């Protein structure tokens, strides 16, 4: 019966004029005259065909014995036909959602927009069944009573309207579709991202013919993967869009080897990421939509070394399914009580989830055995991420083999390697691999030549002594990153993990390790300052001790190290080291700098990364700059210490919970949040008051004195920053603070003068929170209270969970920076705080400089005046006449020549409103202009 029904439907001629009458959707035909574009889009959607097999479950699922497979089946009825009320009781517990209006018919205009149906004018048809068009112009059709009660667009942006038909529980309790529940569990619900964001692409245009321009309209073809067997208009373009849609939802990463070694197994890491789907990928009924990896490895003589995943493509000939041991499959499956895969829901006891959750990254590793006799040849690798909307096996069991070709296998992503040489050894002669070429990292460092590289395979390496570089230019790098490669000091051996004291420069690099278990280093040849024995002297630099050197540390995790002196994680003395994108967490120092200590005549750069959950017994729970150079030593064009793009949160110290500054330091684009201290919760500054903090967010820090900042000898200078929500909030007690604030949002009303103001920053998610913890051995657990009069004696401990401190689009901190400051990367006036917010482009007419909706000589005069003053207006795109990514006198000449009909017209959009076709050129339009929305 099902096959016959499907054949009849596929044989139907698809006439858009007849769709309203044929399917009983008169309200959509009523909307067509005013909204023809949306109507045509809807006709090409899966929503328009939701009652037509084989899209409906009658063509997708075989029913249990005794069922006729009709659309009156209670499981199908709620969203595909019939009266919804009789099916409500059949819903099993799960995500509780009410049935939408879609339960009674296909998803038509009234379903989403909730028109008053009894007011919708019924379309008229002639004797042949053709729609009779209304001869009146649109301007004469004023009766819009059926628009009363129109559902606000804002209510359509979430997933609640889609939930009823995308959260299906079978009578036996098995979840057939849980897409809505997956969306609710994803981060997208907190990002103002709903179903229509992805499934209904937006564009600029008119809602009705000859209507006003709207900057954002949504396509109504509701892109999905089930278009292949439905005779919808523009089927070829729909299939193309499905492919692009799948590609936008995911990403594929393959680590290409430099060379492979004959006689050894190649390890090929492959990572797949659900980078854009607001639910699991793939979504939908288990066992039907297939997603898998296919890996092919061949030598240039034609020998195939690996063919993994190919059996999925050959399911038509393989009833048993895939048997490939290296198959990586992301397909949810129905399984019975014994854990065996079954094709249909009524045979299943549960669903086995293999699909990728929202934003999940999943890494797999393939083994390719390379024969000994392949030396001198080349290896070719190919990796495909493949998708099939319908399982061929299910189609066969349903008796629908003839439909299998209608669902093509889509190559979502394809990666191909260059020819990879098969060699006797994997790396060049200046590369030493651990443990392949040397069992110990210490031996590998000695064997590596000047300028060479030591590569370390994944594993945990326990060091009996600190690694030293002896002043040589050597790169020490892990092959697979800090998550899989650890350098650890032995538990019974005090000392740092890395020591740089041989004058190493920036070409000495350490990249991609977890450094842990370090206990610091003594100054060699020195007795303790107080005359005690060297054994009792303080140790500095729990994980990294650097003196008189300037190495580069990049992409490392420095966690759970201790120093009795300064620098629980890293100690930098007289150093020019560069720290890039490191995570420094859970370290402790008895002195200053729980995470990082900078001392002496240092010119250090800390660029990016996180310093969190560290604590110090004296100053600077996160970062302690304890004795920087003076401005005279630094020179006129260079700052000795620069901290940029960092997150400093959840640290603690008696003085300066987040950062302690001594001497001139530049802090840029940095978040200082949730730090605790007795004085200076966010930061404490003393000595030379020439430090500068630009675009810094100091929020939710707490102290007995100075929640945000405590200063002696004058406050550092703050510009384009947010100091708000700290405890106590009073800033007035900081010496010179009133003169030190410039274009800042402050939490103290007495300082809201001049360029500064007080108000709610309107962060995306606020606030963070402290939770209690019991032991400083727990990573991130720090002191939060100290005994009165005894700064070194904590009496309470806590662990910080941060908020989200990016600004929402209505924040007063948006575009509140100084007019003469360098703009944000999107070309708009500088935002306040550590994180700038990209702003969406607005519609404009190119050449309409004064925004009056016309292009004439007054625009030429206004353009010349703007160029002469050197201004950057909010809609600079309107002035960029030739769209060459800038505004200069050439644009004035181009506009003048056009006005006198001796030159070409301005570039698009002209002569009507539109969006910049080249938004990536750095010239934007960020506010309403020319009367455009």
């Amino acid at each position: 019966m099902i096959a016959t029904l499907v054949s009849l439907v596929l044989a139907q001629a698809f006439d858009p004029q007849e769709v309203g009458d044929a399917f009983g959707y008169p309200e959509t035909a009523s909307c067509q005259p005013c909204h023809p574009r949306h109507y045509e889009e809807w006709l090409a959607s899966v929503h328009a065909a939701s009652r037509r097999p084989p899209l409906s479950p009658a063509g997708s699922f075989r029913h249990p014995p005794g069922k006729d497979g009709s659309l009156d089946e209670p499981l199908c009825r709620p969203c595909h036909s019939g009266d919804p009320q009789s099916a409500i009781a059949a819903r099993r517990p799960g995500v509780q959602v009410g049935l939408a209006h879609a339960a009674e018919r296909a998803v038509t205009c009234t379903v989403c927009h909730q028109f008053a149906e009894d007011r919708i004018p019924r379309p008229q048809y002639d004797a042949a069944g053709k729609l009779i068009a209304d001869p009146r112009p649109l301007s004469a059709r004023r009766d819009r009573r059926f628009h009363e009660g129109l559902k606000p667009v804002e209510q359509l942006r979430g997933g609640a309207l889609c939930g009823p038909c995308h959260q299906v529980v079978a009578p036996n309790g098995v979840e057939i579709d849980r897409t809505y529940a997956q969306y609710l569990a994803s981060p997208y619900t907190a990002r103002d991202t709903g179903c229509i964001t992805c499934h209904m692409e937006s564009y600029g245009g008119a809602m009705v013919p000859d209507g006003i321009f709207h900057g954002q309209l949504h396509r109504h073809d509701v892109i999905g993967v089930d278009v292949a067997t439905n005779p919808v208009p523009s089927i070829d373009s729909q299939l193309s869009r499905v492919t692009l849609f799948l590609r936008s939802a995911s990403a594929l990463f393959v680590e290409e080897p430099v060379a492979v070694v004959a006689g050894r197994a190649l390890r090929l890491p492959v990572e797949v990421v659900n980078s854009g789907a607001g639910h699991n990928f793939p979504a939908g009924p288990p066992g039907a939509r297939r997603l898998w990896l296919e890996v092919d490895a061949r030598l240039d003589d034609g020998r195939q070394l690996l063919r993994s995943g190919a059996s999925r493509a050959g399911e038509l000939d393989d009833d048993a399914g895939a048997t490939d041991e290296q198959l990586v499959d992301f397909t949810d499956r129905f399984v019975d009580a014994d854990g065996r895969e079954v094709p249909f829901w009524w045979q299943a006891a549960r669903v086995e989830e293999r699909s990728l959750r929202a934003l999940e990254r999943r890494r797999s590793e393939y083994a390719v055995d390379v024969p000994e006799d392949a030396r001198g040849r080349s290896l070719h690798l190919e990796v495909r991420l493949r998708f099939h909307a319908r399982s061929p096996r299910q189609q066969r069991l349903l008796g629908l083999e003839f439909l299998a070709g209608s669902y093509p296998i889509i190559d979502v992503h394809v990666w191909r390697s260059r020819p990879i040489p098969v060699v006797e050894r994997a790396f060049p002669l200046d590369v030493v691999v651990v443990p392949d070429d040397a069992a110990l990292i210490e031996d590998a460092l000695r064997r590596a030549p000047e300028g060479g590289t030591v590569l370390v395979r994944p594993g945990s390496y326990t060091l009996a002594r600190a690694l030293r570089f002896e002043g040589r230019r050597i790169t020490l790098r892990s092959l697979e990153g800090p998550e899989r490669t650890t350098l650890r000091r032995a538990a019974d051996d005090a000392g740092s993990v890395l020591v740089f004291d041989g004058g190493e420069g920036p070409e000495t690099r350490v990249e991609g390790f977890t450094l842990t278990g370090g206990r610091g280093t003594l100054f060699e040849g020195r007795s303790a300052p107080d005359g005690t024995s060297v054994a009792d002297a303080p140790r500095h630099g729990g994980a990294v001790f650097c003196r008189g050197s300037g190495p580069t540390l990049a992409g490392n995790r420095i966690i759970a190290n201790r120093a009795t002196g300064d620098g629980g994680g890293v100690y930098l003395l007289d150093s020019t080291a560069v720290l890039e994108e490191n995570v420094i967490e859970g370290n402790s120092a008895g002195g200053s700098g729980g995470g990082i200590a900078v001392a002496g005549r240092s010119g250090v750069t800390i660029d990016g990364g996180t310093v969190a959950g560290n604590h110090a017994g004296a100053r600077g729970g996160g970062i302690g700059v304890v004795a920087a150079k003076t401005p005279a030593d630094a020179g006129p064009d260079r700052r000795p210490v620069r901290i940029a793009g960092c997150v400093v949160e959840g640290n603690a110290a008696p003085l300066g919970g987040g950062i302690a500054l001594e001497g001139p330091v530049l802090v840029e684009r940095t978040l200082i949040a949730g730090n605790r201290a007795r004085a200076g919760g966010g930061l404490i500054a003393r000595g030379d008051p020439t430090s500068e903090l630009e675009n810094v967010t100091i929020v939710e820090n707490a102290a007995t004195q100075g929640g945000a900042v405590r200063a002696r000898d004058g406050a550092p200078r703050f510009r384009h920053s947010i100091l708000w929500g700290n405890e106590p909030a009073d800033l007035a007690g900081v010496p010179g603070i009133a003169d030190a604030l410039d274009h800042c949002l402050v939490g103290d009303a007495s300082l809201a003068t001049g360029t500064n103001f007080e108000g709610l920053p309107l962060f995306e998610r606020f606030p963070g929170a402290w939770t209690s913890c019991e032991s400083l051995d727990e990573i991130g657990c720090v002191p939060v209270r100290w005994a009165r009069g005894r700064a070194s004696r904590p009496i309470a401990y806590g662990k910080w969970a941060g908020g989200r401190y990016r600004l929402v689009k209505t924040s007063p901190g948006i575009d509140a920076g100084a007019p003469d400051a360098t703009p944000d990367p999107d070309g708009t006036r500088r935002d306040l705080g550590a994180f700038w917010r990209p702003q969406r482009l607005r519609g404009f007419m190119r050449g309409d400089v004064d925004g009056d909706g016309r292009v004439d000589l007054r625009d030429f005069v206004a353009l010349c005046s703007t160029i002469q003053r050197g201004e950057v207006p909010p809609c600079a795109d309107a002035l960029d006449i030739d769209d060459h990514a800038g505004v200069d006198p050439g644009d004035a000449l181009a506009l003048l020549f056009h006005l006198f009909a001796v030159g070409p017209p301005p570039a698009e959009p002209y002569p009507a409103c539109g969006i910049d076709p080249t938004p990536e050129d750095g010239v934007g339009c960020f506010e309403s202009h020319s009367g455009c929305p």
Side-chain angles (χ1 to χ4, degrees), residues 630-653:
T630 66
D633 294 327
D637 300 322
R638 183 167 80 86
R639 286 284 177 185
V641 177
R642 178 175 177 266
I643 302 170
C646 295
V647 173
V648 182
E649 63 179 352
N651 304 284

Side-chain angles (χ1 to χ4, degrees), residues 218-272:
H218 287 281
R219 293 181 62 104
H220 282 59
D221 51 4
V222 191
I223 190 66
V225 299
D226 288 310
V227 299
T229 60
N230 292 278
V232 299
S234 307
I235 182 65
D236 293 334
S237 64
Q238 281 284 66
L239 290 174
S240 175
R241 289 185 62 217
V242 167
T243 301
L244 294 175
F245 183 65
L246 292 170
R247 288 174 181 168
S248 69
S250 59
L252 173 70
F253 301 97
V254 183
E255 295 182 18
E256 181 177 5
V258 176
V260 295
V261 181
R264 291 187 181 179
L266 164 68
R267 300 293 177 180
L268 182 67
V270 179
E271 187 175 59
V272 179

